[in-house]
Amino acid sequence: MSPSTDSHPTVADPTADWAGVQLHVVTGKGGTGKSTVAAALALALASSGRTVLLCEVEGRQGIARMFDVDPLPYAETKIARGLADDRGHAGSVYALHIDAESALLEYLAMYYRLGRAGKTLDKFGVTEFATTIAPGVRDVLLTGKVFEAVERNSRNKGAMTYDAVVLDAPPTGRIAQFLNVNGELAGLAKVGPIRSQADRVMTLFRSPRTAIHLVTLLEEMPVQETVDGIAELRSIDLPVGAVITNLVRPHELDEEALAAAAERGLDAEDLAADLDRAGLEATDTLVSALLDQAADHATRVELENRQREVVAEAGVPTYTLPQLPGGVDLGGLYELAATLKEQGLGR
Amino acid sequence: MSRTRVGPLTGTPGSQAPALDIDAMIDDRSVGIVVCCGSGGVGKTTTSAALALRAAERGRKVVVLTIDPARRLAQAMGIEKLDNVPRPVPDIDGTGSLDAMMLDMKRTFDEVVTSQATPEKAEQILSNPFYQALSSSFAGTQEYMAMEKLGQIHRQAQKDGSYDLIVVDTPPSRSALDFLDAPERLSSFLDGRFIRILLAPAKGPARLMTAGFGLVTAAMTKILGTQVLKDMQIFVAAFDTLFGGFRARAEKTYALLQADGTAFLVIAAPEEDALREAAYFVERLSEDEMPLAGLVINRATLASDHQISADEAAAAAARLERGARESTEGTAEQSDRTVGLLRLYARRLRLVEREGRLRERFSAAHPQVPTAVVPALPTDVHDLKGLRLIGDLLADRA
């Protein structure tokens, strides 16, 4: 399928609920919680008997920590039951920690039957060169493995096939470069096996079967980076999926109260009377601490609202996840998964 | 914005971390390089800029090398667009000066090539498709070039005295200290056998041919195809004479980083992931015998000296809500507000407690690391005033 020609040729259709998407790429600026969102999305997708693979490529073993399991090997490992649907029917989440070196050796064995040569390459420093020294090659290997997991073919005998693959991808600042590395490669290799492999990977990444989701916070820099990231992805024809606004704090004051708080116009005496009724000693320090905090909160809410508008202008479906007060544990992941599903992502 | 003095900056009682004295560090004339490292999204670039500004306004001649600054930060320093050339930041108070620049990896790479190779060779390299991809679009190049640029600025500063302090922001690497590994990696490549394979055809007779050698060449031809392999070999052959220089300079920069004139700051946010990365940095720096000056924890939630606990505030909110439901006095709207305020207060205190615990855990494992805690500001930095405020907070002088 070729991209259509309207102004946002690569936006996936939100009404389709991502049903045709097999590869969900989750990116976000550092500190926005992209790994948490990727994990929650995998749980949400693994419903009604569906099987989902969650991949990480940054060598952090973040999945193992989030799901409280042993560090993951280079092998697809079942780590959790998915989120149950209305009839209590769940699916499975498998996880894969992709490291470049294993991916290279596997690739050589799978495509070239280079068992022995693989070891020799290692001895000659080729493996080290390819996986750590040579810029770019790492990303080729990592994206290549993700491609293989999505497009399972007969070479990988007996391997699981998945209804969806979720990739916890590099951060927004690097995502276009990371996903487009095969495009660059295709530019270098005019013909040959590398070229056709690179073309196949880019065909998948550019197709409607892929959706690239960007995680952000309602703060200026992450939002700016998200908007820039969307533009960059579009400029190289990579399909932007959704924006997920993460760690959103509930608003505890109505608009009128916020407006008053912003101008420090909340009534101290009323507040003191309330505190009194609530059984607290309404000292001056407590009252002024609450009023200071109200003003800060109003400033923040105003900033968040502005940022929400900026996100909306990007013309991409948007989802929202709350900040969980105690941080995210396994239970919290399911909670976030349910929230995503309710909003239509992962249905 | 005026606000009441916040509580103890180094956190809850029991936290053992000694305070990091930022002013003592930047006033120390023997410190010529400050490197800010940390995971992405912790405010590393902003901290670098604020620190550089503070040092400049305390009389030093500073240049700040940023890697990928937000446009807004450049504008905050009064520079429309940062590039590979240091630009003076206007309106610096005092006798010092501040220049700011951004690493442009392609231009830095190009400059190295043109300055080190003969014109014909430089031309050959610059037009090689491999070089073009390598210098502009591949991950990993940034680390090599950050080292290269730092070395360049330092050599220049030594020569003409243009700067007495270089503040460096580090690339948001996949693995935290990739840029420190750059010289090591270059060396292992140059001393390895692989390069000989790549250079073999250019270097004439196949005297190095062994069984393994042939196997590797065959495998590479099979995977890459003859054309790619050939392009690659042409590139490596053309670049051969430059590699050594790269390595020598990278090693010099590495030694410079280890020397006493350098101070490393690890930047983090009070979150589990960021502090875990920070712990990794601290350990890695000490393994490499790099001089660690301390830890900066940005975006901390701090509370006013409070008299009620989070639980008390939450309980009071619940009582008030119940009371409002049952009452007919018509005070419901007002008490809604108070309920909201108490909830906000409770949530904030819980966050303060949580962050305090995380910091305590970090300092329990790394008790020797001096720490500065910078409170979260309600808005982003938009101008020099904002950067100054961050500097004040860093130095605990707000």
Side-chain angles (χ1 to χ4, degrees), chain B residues 11 42 61 64 94 160 180 190 232 242 286 291 316 323 350 360 374 394:
Chain B
V42 296
K61 290 189 280 180
V64 57
D160 61 12
L180 283 183
L190 294 173
M232 214 166 136
L242 297 192
S286 80
R350 293 218 168 96
E360 238 171 272
V374 179
L394 264 170

Side-chain angles (χ1 to χ4, degrees), chain A residues 28-34 215 217 222 246-247, chain B residues 39-42 269 271 274 299:
Chain A
K29 184 175 161 62
T32 59
K34 72 177 169 64
V215 182
L217 307 179
N246 193 24
L247 297 168
Chain B
S39 53
V42 296
E271 286 146 21
R299 300 204 190 131

Side-chain angles (χ1 to χ4, degrees), chain A residues 14-229:
Chain A
T15 57
D17 278 336
W18 318 101
V21 174
Q22 281 169 286
L23 172 59
H24 293 268
V25 179
V26 181
T27 182
K29 184 175 161 62
T32 59
K34 72 177 169 64
S35 300
T36 310
V37 174
L41 178 58
L43 286 173
L45 290 165
S47 182
S48 313
R50 280 179 299 196
T51 311
V52 175
L53 179 68
L54 173 63
C55 304
E56 68 180 337
V57 292
E58 293 187 285
R60 295 218 187 99
Q61 289 289 353
I63 297 177
R65 261 195 304 273
M66 280 186 286
F67 286 89
D68 205 8
V69 296
D70 289 336
L72 297 167
Y74 184 75
E76 290 149 39
T77 313
K78 185 172 171 183
I79 53 160
R81 266 165 63 85
L83 187 71
D85 62 16
D86 298 341
R87 290 163 294 129
H89 193 185
S92 309
V93 175
Y94 284 70
L96 176 63
H97 176 260
I98 306 179
D99 71 272
E101 199 176 327
S102 309
L104 175 64
L105 294 177
E106 186 194 43
Y107 176 81
L108 293 176
M110 206 186 293
Y111 283 84
Y112 299 98
R113 306 187 196 291
L114 288 175
R116 196 160 72 89
K119 286 204 195 75
T120 315
L121 289 177
D122 205 22
K123 221 171 67 199
F124 271 72
V126 180
T127 325
E128 196 201 358
F129 174 78
T131 54
T132 60
I133 300 164
V137 181
R138 239 183 110 88
D139 290 352
V140 174
L141 293 164
L142 299 174
T143 51
K145 179 59 192 173
V146 172
F147 168 81
E148 193 274 325
V150 178
E151 299 281 35
R152 281 284 135 94
N153 64 32
S154 54
R155 285 176 198 271
N156 197 348
K157 289 190 190 67
M160 289 277 305
T161 53
Y162 297 96
D163 296 294
V165 172
V166 177
L167 171 63
D168 178 1
T172 314
R174 253 179 41 75
I175 189 66
Q177 186 187 55
F178 176 77
L179 293 174
N180 199 40
V181 70
N182 287 280
E184 290 293 333
L185 199 64
L188 284 180
K190 306 280 182 288
V191 287
I194 282 243
R195 172 61 190 252
S196 37
Q197 165 77 2
D199 284 346
R200 277 196 299 273
V201 175
M202 285 320 290
T203 305
L204 169 67
F205 286 0
R206 292 208 165 110
S207 78
R209 291 191 295 143
T210 297
I212 303 155
H213 309 300
L214 299 96
V215 182
T216 188
L217 307 179
L218 288 175
E219 289 170 14
E220 284 174 84
M221 287 215 266
V223 166
Q224 186 59 48
E225 204 166 292
T226 302
V227 171
D228 292 347

Side-chain angles (χ1 to χ4, degrees), chain B residues 323-334:
Chain B
R325 261 203 311 276
E326 287 157 8
S327 117
T328 48
E329 282 172 54
T331 53
E333 198 180 312
Q334 163 58 30

